């Protein structure tokens, strides 16, 4: 097949990890006979430096025309002056909103080979396989912001329609899994959460009688997530709670560098990015873990291009490489791990070997 993929490297380790995922996509394209046209555009701090804007019009236009978008990360100390008029993060938020990508899928499935890197006891992690569906284009991130001399405010707003569509997406995804959804809110305090809980309950009851829905307050959820992670299948929540809970959930897998994400709307186009940031503390050293971005490329193939066998192959290759002990510094005991280039080379080599799924079609 032919597909147009826009690559947005961004800042910090962004360019290092997208370069790895691009090599993976090129290898998959060559090996399985697909023509992937991969074109880079600026976003974030790099775009501010080049054009003054965190999301240049040309970048957004290219993304709108593409089949899928792969992003590294944005932000960094250079652009973090609290008085700055534009910030790299605004570019990412505008891109998510501009493409209507309201459902952010963040799967968490700890790999046996990296259990040792998790601060959680291994017996609690065996069999963990959960999916956080984070609402991505509403809530406190997008409400009106105000700054006065002595005060500031961020408005948190949700409409019924915004809650309905993301809960629907979560319930539909649960159907293909274990049929269990936990909706996370702060309904004991927040009005938006009381609306969230009401709408979630109605959508599940009326449209998904085969799916079980439970409600959980976000503070105790933060605790349950690490105390009994196996209890969860699909977790659906609002924008900021989902942001925070997924960085926490990355510790189940062993590193923030491992988790991928897919941001989806109503159409085929999606934005695929690791859940981590630009990691300024390790940027430029060639030691970033590329796995979260490589697995995001797998999600891109599955969700936007319909190439699920190829996606499976990437995931199997990553699993095999981790199993062989090719671990980047964030995962390696003592911190002396394989470089980004070494992990990537190992995945590319593994991709050349027969893959259990696609081999049937070769
Ligand atoms: P971060 O995710 O960048 O880093 C947190 C910690 O995790 C750091 O110690 C970092 O070295 C480590 N880490 C992250 N990814 C890693 C990887 N792939 N391999 C190895 N270690 C990794 O979060 P932060 O430090 O709070 O934020 C830094 C900047 O990134 C900020 O400007 C923030 O706004 C931005 N950010 C961007 C995104 C995004 O673009 N989607 C996401 C989160 C944060
Ligand atoms: C993420 C990041 C972003 C978010 C920031 C950089 C705007 O933390 O993708 O998780 O909060 O959504
Ligand atoms: Mn985040």
């Amino acid at each position: 097949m032919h597909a147009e993929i826009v690559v947005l490297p961004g800042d910090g380790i962004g360019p290092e990890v997208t370069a790895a995922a691009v090599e993976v996509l090129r290898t998959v394209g060559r090996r399985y006979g697909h023509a992937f046209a991969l074109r880079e555009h600026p976003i974030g701090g790099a775009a501010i430096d080049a054009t003054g804007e965190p999301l240049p019009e040309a970048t957004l236009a290219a993304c709108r025309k593409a089949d899928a978008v792969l992003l590294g990360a944005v932000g960094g100390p250079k652009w973090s002056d609290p008085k700055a008029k534009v910030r790299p993060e605004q570019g990412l938020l505008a891109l998510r909103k501009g493409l209507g990508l309201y459902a952010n899928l963040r799967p968490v499935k700890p790999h046996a080979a990296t259990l040792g890197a998790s601060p959680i006891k291994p017996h609690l992690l065996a069999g963990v396989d959960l999916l956080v569906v984070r609402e991505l284009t509403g809530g406190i991130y997008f409400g009106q912001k105000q700054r006065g001399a002595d005060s500031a405010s961020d408005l948190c707003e949700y409409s019924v329609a915004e809650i309905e569509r993301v809960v629907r997406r979560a319930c539909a995804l649960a159907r293909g899994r274990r049929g269990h959804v936990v909706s996370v809110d702060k309904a004991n305090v927040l009005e938006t959460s009381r609306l969230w809980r009401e709408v979630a309950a109605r959508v599940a009851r009326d449209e998904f009688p085969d799916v079980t829905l439970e409600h959980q307050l976000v503070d105790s959820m933060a605790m349950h997530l690490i105390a009994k992670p196996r209890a969860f299948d699909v977790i659906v929540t609002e924008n900021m709670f989902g942001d925070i809970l997924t960085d926490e959930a990355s510790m189940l897998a062993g590193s923030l560098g491992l988790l991928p994400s897919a941001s989806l709307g109503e159409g085929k186009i999606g934005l695929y990015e690791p859940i981590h940031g630009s990691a300024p503390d390790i940027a430029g050293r060639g030691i970033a873990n590329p796995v979260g971005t490589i697995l995001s490329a797998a999600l891109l193939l599955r969700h936007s291009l319909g190439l699920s066998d190829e996606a499976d192959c990437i995931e199997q290759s990553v699993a095999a490489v981790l199993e062989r002990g090719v671990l980047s510094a964030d995962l390696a005991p003592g911190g002396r791990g394989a470089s980004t280039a070494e992990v990537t080379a190992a995945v590319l080599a593994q991709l050349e070997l027969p893959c259990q799924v696609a081999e049937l079609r070769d």
Side-chain angles (χ1 to χ4, degrees):
M1 79 176 301
H2 175 83
E4 299 276 336
I5 301 171
V6 164
V7 180
L8 307 176
D11 310 315
I13 62 168
E16 301 169 43
V17 294
T18 50
V22 162
E23 284 191 70
V24 165
L25 286 170
R26 286 197 202 289
T27 300
V28 168
R30 173 174 49 72
R31 186 144 158 52
Y32 298 98
H34 304 300
F36 297 144
L38 294 142
R39 289 203 183 81
E40 282 191 11
H41 290 270
I43 193 169
I48 292 175
D49 289 351
T51 71
E53 298 287 330
L55 179 64
E57 195 48 53
T59 296
L60 180 59
C63 292
R64 284 194 205 283
K65 277 193 281 183
D67 296 296
V69 183
L70 179 75
L71 182 135
V74 297
K78 182 177 177 191
W79 308 280
S80 289
D81 177 356
K83 296 241 179 298
K85 285 216 171 56
V86 285
R87 291 189 58 107
E89 291 82 356
Q90 292 166 341
L92 179 55
L93 298 178
L95 179 63
R96 292 168 176 172
K97 189 83 168 176
L99 296 177
L101 307 173
Y102 62 83
N104 181 220
L105 281 47
R106 297 185 162 191
V108 185
K109 198 173 173 180
H111 195 280
T114 59
L115 291 191
S118 171
I120 316 288
K121 291 188 176 69
H123 76 271
L124 295 173
L125 297 171
V128 169
D129 177 3
L130 61 88
L131 172 67
V132 178
V133 180
R134 168 191 176 194
E135 201 291 326
L136 202 61
T137 52
I140 197 167
Y141 276 58
F142 290 91
Q144 202 189 346
K145 294 178 188 304
Q146 264 170 353
R147 180 69 188 262
D150 302 315
S151 68
S153 66
D154 299 272
L155 184 67
C156 183
E157 238 177 332
Y158 268 111
S159 70
V160 168
E162 283 175 320
I163 302 168
E164 279 174 347
R165 64 185 181 179
V166 73
V167 170
R168 247 178 225 132
R169 183 64 73 103
C171 289
L173 287 161
R175 267 188 181 149
R177 296 171 52 97
R178 302 190 297 281
H180 188 241
V181 177
V182 174
S183 170
V184 176
D185 61 39
K186 185 77 185 173
N188 52 346
V189 176
L190 302 177
E191 205 54 52
T192 41
S193 278
R194 286 190 275 274
L195 179 68
W196 182 283
R197 191 174 280 221
E198 204 179 291
V199 172
R202 170 173 54 73
V203 168
R205 186 192 61 225
D206 293 353
E207 301 174 37
F208 299 88
D210 50 327
V211 169
T212 318
L213 177 82
E214 286 176 79
H215 305 279
Q216 186 74 44
L217 295 172
V218 64
D219 47 355
S220 51
M221 182 65 193
M223 178 275 295
H224 287 310
L225 193 55
I226 52 171
K228 48 164 192 175
R230 236 192 328 268
F232 301 102
D233 178 15
V234 174
I235 296 165
V236 64
T237 191
E238 66 97 61
N239 204 341
M240 189 160 73
F241 297 161
D243 179 44
I244 298 169
L245 288 176
T246 46
D247 269 31
E248 186 193 3
S250 76
M251 283 298 101
L252 302 170
S255 169
L256 188 53
L258 287 171
L259 295 200
S261 85
S263 303
L264 309 173
E266 298 302 350
K268 275 263 168 230
I269 191 165
L271 169 66
Y272 301 84
E273 49 170 326
I275 81 155
H276 64 72
S278 58
D281 53 338
I282 59 162
R285 291 167 51 194
I287 58 167
N289 188 344
V291 166
T293 316
I294 291 172
L295 293 176
S296 299
L299 295 180
L300 182 157
L301 296 181
R302 181 176 295 124
H303 291 284
S304 282
L305 307 188
L307 300 175
S308 52
D309 287 353
E310 287 81 344
D312 289 351
C313 286
I314 294 177
E315 287 163 356
Q316 282 174 27
S317 298
V318 167
V321 163
L322 296 176
E323 246 154 57
R324 281 215 313 278
V326 184
L327 303 174
S328 46
D330 50 317
L331 293 168
R336 269 206 313 278
S339 65
T340 310
E342 285 164 345
V343 175
T344 308
V347 173
L348 296 178
Q350 191 70 34
L351 278 168
E352 300 294 349
L353 303 175
C355 166
Q356 266 176 26
V357 200
E359 158 180 68
L360 304 172
R361 290 181 337 179
D362 271 355

